[in-house]
């Protein structure tokens, strides 16, 4: 009976992980028509995050103790995983294809390992190093470097900024969520992930309100329509897709799926997000990628998966921590899979 229950739990977890990947993968496809219709990318980000924050207010109230117990973690999630990642990603897709932007962002696992190796001076496995090389090489194919960087350079830098924001979140959240509270001699209870998501959205909405200044937005555009590969779609429908499906549903199903699956399995499914986003952009937006780009995308995903599933070697002695953080070697792997900062 226990084996049957475990199998059902893994099956449910896999289904939720796939649903989360589809939901996250559709964010750029739904947002790009709104941007092309005249909305500023920052305004689209603000609408997405603020709308999701309002929906998650009951959850935030239920976990209000987090404000006192984990203020740094909540601030880090809101600033990096929500405001930073969303703003850079949506700004990048206004200049380069959705699939390319997401593949560039998948350099985040490789960048995290770079932080562990060069900032914290902690050795990493050979498999992780191979993953980094594959991810960088695949990215060169995606952007077609042999053609003189045919993609918009600013768009690529914005996508890279989104990847860097993910790295900042991984490091900060590991430091704030894994160890004990400052001044305590024992490890604190890990914060509830859904509560962290709720407050992260609230913090992100507050930050983006200052940056995006939505009072200057052309609200009339939301009453019109946006073009999607030749078809006109109501703008409010696309906004609902972004808020309800690509944010609230995506984050919640992703968190629950990680609880039911191992971090390694969740990491495999997470890599499907870029494939789904590229496929949806191909079908719904008409953004076709060449054969070398598709091959390069596959190599990027392979390298990202290897990098995020290969845990760094445990330290043999005291570790020199960088920037005031102390990421445990075995914790990095879990953060890359379960602490996903997605779109």
């Amino acid at each position: 009976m226990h084996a049957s229950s475990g199998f059902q739990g893994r099956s449910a977890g896999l289904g939720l992980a796939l649903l989360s990947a589809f939901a996250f993968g559709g964010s750029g496809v739904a947002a790009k028509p709104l941007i092309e219709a005249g909305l500023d990318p920052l305004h689209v980000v603000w609408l997405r995050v603020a709308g999701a924050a309002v929906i998650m207010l009951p959850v935030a109230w239920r976990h209000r103790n987090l404000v006192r117990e984990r203020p740094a973690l909540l601030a880090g999630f809101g600033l990096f995983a929500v405001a930073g990642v969303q703003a850079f990603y949506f700004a990048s897709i206004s200049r380069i294809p959705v699939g390319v932007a997401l593949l560039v962002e998948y350099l985040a696992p490789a960048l995290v390992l770079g932080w562990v190796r060069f900032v914290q001076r902690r050795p990493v496995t050979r498999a992780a190093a191979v993953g980094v090389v594959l991810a960088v090489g695949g990215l060169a194919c995606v952007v077609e470097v042999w053609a003189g960087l045919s993609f918009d350079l600013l768009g690529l830098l914005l996508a890279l900024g989104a990847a860097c924001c993910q790295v900042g979140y991984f490091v900060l959240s590991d430091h704030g969520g894994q160890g004990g509270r400052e001044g305590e001699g024992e490890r604190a209870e890990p914060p509830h992930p859904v509560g962290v998501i709720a407050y992260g959205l609230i913090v992100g909405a507050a930050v983006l309100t200052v940056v995006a200044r939505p009072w200057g937005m052309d609200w009339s555009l939301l009453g019109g329509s946006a073009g999607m590969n030749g078809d006109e779609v109501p703008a409010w429908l696309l906004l609902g897709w972004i808020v309800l499906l690509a944010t609230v549903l995506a984050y919640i199903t992703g968190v629950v799926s990680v609880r039911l699956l191992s971090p390694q399995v969740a990491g495999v499914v997470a890599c499907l997000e870029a494939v789904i986003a590229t496929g949806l952009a191909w079908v719904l937006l008409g953004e076709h990628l060449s054969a070398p780009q598709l091959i390069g995308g596959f190599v990027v995903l392979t390298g990202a998966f290897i990098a995020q599933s290969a845990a760094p070697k445990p330290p043999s002695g005291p570790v020199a921590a960088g920037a005031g953080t102390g990421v445990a070697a075995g914790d990095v792997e879990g953060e890359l899979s379960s602490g996903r900062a997605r779109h």
Side-chain angles (χ1 to χ4, degrees):
M1 182 176 295
H2 291 292
S4 176
S5 176
F7 176 76
Q8 292 176 355
R10 288 191 296 272
S11 298
L14 182 59
L16 289 173
L18 288 171
L19 179 59
S20 179
F22 269 98
F24 274 123
S27 64
V29 175
K32 189 157 189 173
L34 293 176
I35 295 172
E36 292 178 343
L39 281 175
D40 187 273
L42 277 178
H43 289 160
V44 177
V45 175
W46 180 84
L47 288 169
R48 175 188 186 179
V49 174
V54 170
I55 294 174
M56 295 292 283
L57 279 176
V59 177
W61 176 255
R62 181 178 180 181
H63 298 283
R64 55 190 179 276
N65 60 304
L66 289 175
V67 177
R68 181 183 69 260
E69 297 175 356
R70 294 291 191 272
L73 176 59
L74 301 184
F77 194 102
L79 183 61
F80 292 106
V82 177
V85 172
Q86 309 299 340
F88 278 115
Y89 175 66
F90 277 24
S92 68
I93 65 173
S94 69
R95 309 182 69 95
I96 60 178
V98 171
V100 174
L102 196 52
L103 288 169
V104 172
E105 195 171 328
Y106 260 82
L107 288 177
L111 295 176
V112 170
L113 289 175
W115 171 276
V116 173
R117 178 65 183 89
F118 298 107
V119 178
Q120 293 193 301
R121 306 172 196 174
R122 194 189 303 278
V124 298
T125 63
R126 183 174 300 177
V130 171
V132 172
V133 173
L134 285 175
V136 174
L139 182 62
C141 294
V142 171
V143 301
E144 295 183 326
V145 292
W146 56 85
L149 201 63
S150 58
F151 282 113
D152 187 291
L153 179 58
L154 179 57
L156 292 174
L157 291 176
L158 290 170
L160 185 59
C164 291
C165 283
Q166 285 202 37
V167 174
Y169 164 67
F170 289 144
V171 174
L172 179 65
S173 64
D174 185 78
H175 174 65
Q178 298 293 338
R181 298 189 195 103
E182 185 177 355
E184 292 185 357
E186 59 183 16
R187 291 172 67 88
E189 184 73 17
H192 196 286
V194 178
V196 174
I197 290 171
Y199 277 102
L201 290 168
I202 292 172
V203 172
V207 172
L208 288 170
T209 298
V210 176
V211 176
R213 295 179 292 180
W215 47 86
M217 179 173 56
D218 186 359
W219 292 88
S220 63
L221 291 174
L222 297 178
S225 60
M228 180 176 280
N229 200 19
D231 298 322
E232 292 297 318
V233 181
W236 63 265
L237 183 61
L238 293 173
L239 181 60
W241 177 354
I242 295 170
V243 172
L244 296 175
L245 300 182
T247 307
V248 177
L249 178 65
Y251 272 115
I252 292 178
T253 54
V255 167
V256 175
S257 70
V258 172
R259 290 293 182 93
L260 296 173
L261 299 170
S262 67
Q264 292 85 353
V265 175
V268 174
V269 182
C271 288
L272 293 176
E273 181 189 335
V275 178
I276 293 168
T278 303
L280 289 175
W282 194 315
V283 174
L284 298 179
L285 301 180
E287 293 183 348
H288 297 175
L289 300 183
S290 65
Q293 289 174 315
L294 292 175
I295 295 173
F298 175 77
V299 174
V300 170
L301 295 179
T302 302
F305 169 65
I306 293 175
Q308 77 175 0
S309 61
K313 297 177 181 179
S316 56
V319 177
T325 63
V327 183
D331 291 339
V332 175
E333 176 185 7
E335 279 301 318
L336 289 173
S337 298
S338 61
R340 304 186 326 177
R342 291 287 178 249
H343 318 96

